[in-house]
């Protein structure tokens, strides 16, 4: 019995060895066929074989590059899958949820031309993007001057007409002119600020798909410091606020009083002033891209003000008939990323706050934007202490 069993094992090993030998032979044959499909069994000259081999190696090199890309993508998918593995909660006070979502796998096939441009312009895979048409030219020129003064290198304009393209060339500013697109071209010819503003949610998608973090900036903004030095990068969305103090910007409780409910007349509500869609940072994550898609889809189907829709999708929770957006968000410091209400109603009247140097000033609350931008430069850059004094708190236009 022992002899028979040993003989069976030897036979199995023998058969296994034959199978391996056949498999190796097939693999070698396939490799040789790929390398020299025409000349492997040809007795022609060696020079012809070498020439053919060289061309085939070029093809193989391209295939290897594609395979390496696929390996990178698969590796990223494995990494994402590992983050979804089950974990146990730790002791009280040690548990924190995941708010920093993984970034998407860059897909250069989405926009090869933009991908090549961003390789030259972006710093640490991040870039500032500004969308402008000729109606915004004076403000854009003030902004470009402020960007150059601060020394920001990763700044890019998306011109909507030839005039803005000319401004970029004259000032040696990087710009990206999109391929002809009816929706974008018609908006570029429009003098409407809201129409142009709504385009950002269409334009930014390619940047995120290519794997770049993006600061979207309106043109009515003066840069006084490099904003990338003041980001947390722990959320999908970091955005400046329309709030004018800690309560309105960061959230507060407000009581709702209904006397008809007698003993239960008081109800607590949570309030926060909206995020400003004229200056925000997006990490290249799926929730960020979904946000862009949702806002663009709502604007296309229903119209409306892009900032209101932007906030609805950021804050509205899931409820019957609606699935909320699962995006993490952070509001920016109102004294670093300053709106013009904060500047003209609070800061300029407070001697201590006047000593602070904001990162940006956004003239979002006022119609006389250009004049106030120029005044902010005089005050913060040139040191003219009364540069802001002549303006009223509000604006007539």
């Amino acid at each position: 019995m022992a002899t028979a069993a040993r003989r069976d094992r030897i036979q199995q090993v023998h058969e296994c060895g034959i199978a391996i030998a056949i498999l190796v032979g097939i693999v070698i044959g396939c490799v040789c066929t790929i390398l020299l499909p025409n000349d492997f069994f040809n007795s022609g000259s060696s020079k012809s074989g070498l020439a053919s081999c060289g061309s085939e190696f070029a093809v193989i090199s391209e295939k290897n590059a594609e395979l390496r890309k696929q390996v990178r993508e698969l590796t990223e998918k494995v990494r994402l899958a590992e983050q979804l593995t089950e974990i146990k909660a730790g002791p009280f006070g040690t548990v924190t949820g995941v708010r920093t979502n993984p970034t998407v796998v860059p897909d250069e096939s989405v926009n090869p031309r933009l991908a090549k441009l961003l390789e030259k312009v972006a710093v640490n895979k991040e870039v500032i993007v500004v969308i402008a048409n000729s109606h915004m030219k004076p403000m854009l020129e003030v902004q470009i001057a402020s960007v150059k003064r601060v020394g920001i290198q990763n700044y890019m304009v998306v011109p909507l007409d030839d005039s803005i393209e000319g401004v970029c060339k004259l000032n040696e500013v990087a710009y990206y002119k999109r391929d002809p697109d009816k929706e974008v071209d018609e908006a570029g010819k429009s003098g409407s600020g809201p129409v142009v503003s709504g385009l950002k949610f269409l334009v930014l998608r390619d940047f995120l798909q290519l794997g770049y973090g993006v600061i979207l900036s309106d043109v009515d903004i003066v840069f006084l410091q490099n904003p990338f030095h003041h980001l947390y990068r722990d959320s999908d969305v970091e955005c400046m606020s329309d709030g004018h103090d800690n309560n309105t910007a960061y959230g507060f409780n407000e009581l709702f009083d209904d006397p008809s409910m007698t003993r239960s007349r008081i109800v607590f509500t949570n309030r926060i002033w909206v995020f400003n869609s004229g200056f925000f940072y997006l990490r290249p994550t799926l929730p960020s891209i979904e946000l862009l898609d949702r806002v663009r889809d709502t604007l296309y189907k229903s119209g409306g003000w892009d900032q209101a829709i932007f906030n609805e999708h950021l804050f509205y929770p899931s409820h019957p008939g609606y699935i909320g957006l699962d995006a993490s968000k952070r509001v920016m410091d109102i004294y670093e990323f300053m709106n013009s209400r904060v500047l003209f109603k609070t800061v300029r009247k407070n001697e201590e706050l006047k000593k602070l140097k904001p990162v940006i000033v956004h003239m979002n609350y006022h119609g006389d934007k250009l004049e106030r931008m120029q005044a902010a430069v005089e005050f913060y850059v040139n040191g003219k202490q009364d540069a802001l004094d002549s303006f009223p708190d509000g604006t007539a236009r």
Side-chain angles (χ1 to χ4, degrees):
M1 293 293 291
T3 304
R6 186 167 60 254
R7 187 167 55 249
D8 290 341
R9 285 196 296 270
I10 293 172
Q11 179 65 21
Q12 290 173 0
V13 172
H14 179 67
E15 292 175 351
C16 183
I18 293 174
I20 293 173
I22 294 173
L23 180 60
V24 171
I26 292 173
V27 171
I28 294 174
C30 290
V31 171
C32 292
T33 303
I34 292 173
L35 291 175
L36 299 169
N38 299 319
D39 300 317
F40 184 70
F41 297 107
N42 194 337
S43 59
S45 67
S46 60
K47 292 183 179 180
S48 175
L50 288 174
S52 175
C53 184
S55 64
E56 295 300 334
F57 270 121
V59 173
I60 292 172
S61 179
E62 294 179 3
K63 291 182 178 180
N64 284 342
E66 180 63 27
L67 287 173
R68 283 195 296 271
K69 179 182 177 182
Q70 292 178 13
V71 169
R72 287 196 302 270
E73 293 176 352
L74 289 172
T75 302
E76 180 66 14
K77 289 179 180 179
V78 170
R79 184 178 70 83
L80 297 181
E82 290 174 346
Q83 293 185 353
L84 299 177
T85 56
E86 295 183 1
I87 57 174
K88 292 183 179 180
F92 175 79
T94 66
V95 177
T96 57
V98 177
R99 63 180 293 104
T100 307
N101 287 308
T103 56
V104 299
V105 177
D107 184 3
E108 295 184 3
S109 66
V110 169
N111 194 327
R113 185 164 62 87
L114 178 60
K116 291 182 180 180
L117 180 59
L118 286 173
E119 288 178 359
K120 301 176 182 178
V121 177
V123 176
N124 297 324
K125 297 285 285 187
E126 294 176 325
V127 65
I128 297 173
V129 176
V130 180
I131 303 171
N133 64 12
S134 58
H135 300 277
M136 306 169 181
K137 179 179 176 181
M139 289 187 291
L140 180 63
E141 290 173 333
V142 173
Q143 182 179 96
I144 289 175
S146 73
V147 167
K148 288 183 172 291
R149 188 182 305 113
V150 174
I152 300 171
Q153 301 296 320
N154 48 339
Y155 174 88
M156 177 184 292
V157 176
V158 179
L160 299 177
D161 53 41
D162 294 339
S163 175
I164 297 301
E165 185 178 349
V167 170
C168 294
K169 290 179 179 178
L170 181 64
N171 289 276
E172 298 182 333
V173 169
Y175 67 93
Y176 167 63
K177 191 168 183 179
R178 288 172 51 87
D179 294 332
D181 182 290
K182 183 179 180 181
E183 181 180 353
V184 176
D185 294 341
E186 288 181 354
K189 298 175 183 177
S190 168
S192 171
V195 172
V196 174
S197 182
L199 284 177
K200 68 187 70 165
F201 303 101
L202 168 64
V203 172
L204 293 183
R205 196 182 203 280
D206 284 0
F207 289 81
L208 297 188
Q209 278 192 275
L210 291 170
Y212 288 84
V214 178
I215 286 180
L216 182 284
S217 173
D218 280 353
V219 295
D220 57 338
I221 289 175
V222 174
F223 288 83
L224 299 168
Q225 299 185 61
N226 190 328
F228 290 109
H229 298 164
H230 299 265
L231 297 176
Y232 285 81
R233 297 177 179 85
D234 64 346
S235 305
D236 298 308
V237 184
E238 290 185 56
C239 192
M240 72 171 296
S241 173
D242 268 2
H244 62 89
D245 57 21
N246 287 351
N247 282 342
T248 56
Y250 309 140
F252 64 101
N253 291 322
E254 184 174 83
L255 301 182
F256 176 80
D257 185 10
D258 182 1
S260 68
M261 291 295 293
T262 59
R263 185 171 178 270
S264 304
R265 62 185 291 173
I266 301 297
V267 178
F268 281 82
T269 67
N270 295 322
R271 297 286 305 279
I272 186 171
W273 285 27
V274 295
F275 282 13
N276 187 287
S277 64
F279 191 91
F280 56 81
Y281 172 75
L282 295 180
R283 293 181 63 247
T285 64
L286 291 179
S288 294
I289 296 174
E290 184 182 359
L291 172 64
L292 297 180
D293 290 350
R294 284 179 176 231
V295 176
R296 180 190 173 194
D297 183 63
T298 303
L299 286 171
Y300 179 78
K301 292 179 178 178
S302 309
W305 184 28
D306 68 277
Q307 179 163 294
I309 296 169
F310 176 76
N311 279 271
E312 288 173 6
H313 286 296
L314 266 179
F315 287 97
Y316 282 8
S318 297
H319 56 264
Y322 177 79
I323 303 298
L325 177 69
D326 189 20
S328 58
K329 47 195 172 288
R330 169 183 286 275
V331 62
M332 294 173 166
D333 187 310
I334 60 172
Y335 296 109
E336 289 189 336
F337 298 88
M338 190 181 297
N339 65 55
S340 56
R341 179 182 180 127
V342 172
L343 176 61
F344 287 97
K345 287 207 67 175
T346 304
V347 170
R348 68 170 175 168
K349 301 174 185 180
N350 185 301
E351 291 303 318
E352 291 302 313
L353 292 178
K354 286 171 69 174
K355 297 176 184 178
L356 300 176
K357 186 177 183 180
V359 178
I360 65 162
V361 178
H362 187 184
M363 303 304 169
N364 58 307
Y365 270 100
H366 297 89
D368 49 345
K369 297 177 182 295
L370 178 61
E371 294 82 358
R372 291 183 188 246
M373 289 175 72
Q374 293 167 334
V377 172
E378 287 295 319
F379 179 77
Y380 284 110
V381 178
N382 299 329
K384 188 177 179 181
Q385 293 301 302
D386 62 348
L388 305 174
D389 295 348
S390 64
F391 295 92
D393 287 351
T395 180
R397 57 184 175 90

